[in-house]
Amino acid sequence: MSSAFEEGDPSSPIVLVGEAPSHSEIREARPFVGPAGQLLDRLLHSAQIARVTTYILNVFDNQIVKKNQDASKIYSQEGTLLWSSSKGFTEAGIINSAGCRERLEACEANVIVPLGGPALHLCVDVRSPMKWRGSILKGIQGRKVVP
């Protein structure tokens, strides 16, 4: 299965969780195909992990807005606050990220790799990926979460 929101096999051992599709992802109907995706592909290659062996999701299924390039707050296209680094998910953010949470709970991955604050917060109740980068945390259904 492939869409701007998800790609790969839910029975993969590793799931990568991004924030949301960009213009590139929506145009190509695949996650992580823009500049961030090119970086991801290089990092996966250097770790000797084939992208096709992973399951890739986005927290939000629609494009998001970061006002003034401020990554600490994420808004919907309509201007509704979805997530902030200080308070986490808003009610609208919880509703908007529910599909990702359900897919994470249903997938078979043993390792979840959140790529960014909202993805980390969705997997464990932590909002600072820089502080936890490379740590092994216990997350959804006891799975390993490695920011």
Side-chain angles (χ1 to χ4, degrees):
M1 83 184 65
S2 188
S3 72
F5 175 75
E6 72 180 316
E7 176 178 77
D9 184 354
S11 65
S12 298
I14 299 171
V15 62
L16 307 170
V17 186
E19 285 183 1
S22 71
H23 293 291
S24 300
E25 283 82 20
I26 290 172
R27 185 176 54 250
E28 294 191 35
R30 286 185 65 208
F32 285 97
V33 294
Q38 293 168 8
L39 175 60
L40 175 65
D41 288 344
R42 287 193 305 271
L43 293 171
L44 288 171
H45 179 76
S46 69
Q48 298 182 351
I49 298 171
R51 181 178 171 133
V52 296
T53 66
T54 67
Y55 181 41
I56 301 173
L57 293 172
N58 276 305
V59 172
F60 302 112
D61 56 359
N62 297 305
Q63 282 186 288
I64 56 171
V65 175
K66 295 179 182 177
K67 296 181 180 178
N68 302 321
Q69 299 299 343
D70 178 6
S72 69
K73 293 182 181 172
I74 294 177
Y75 298 87
S76 70
Q77 287 287 317
E78 297 77 31
T80 304
L81 181 64
L82 301 173
W83 183 87
S84 73
S85 60
S86 62
K87 297 193 179 184
F89 288 99
T90 63
E91 187 174 330
I94 290 169
I95 291 167
N96 195 285
S97 64
C100 181
R101 177 78 186 205
E102 290 170 8
R103 285 174 175 83
L104 282 171
E105 290 172 353
C107 79
E108 298 175 23
N110 182 44
V111 176
I112 301 170
V113 181
L115 307 170
L120 178 59
H121 189 215
L122 186 69
C123 298
V124 294
D125 192 20
V126 176
R127 291 183 290 279
S128 176
M130 297 302 281
K131 178 179 177 183
W132 298 100
R133 182 178 282 173
S135 299
I136 300 174
L137 307 172
K138 189 174 182 177
I140 295 172
Q141 297 171 329
R143 296 182 187 154
K144 297 175 192 115
V145 174
V146 184

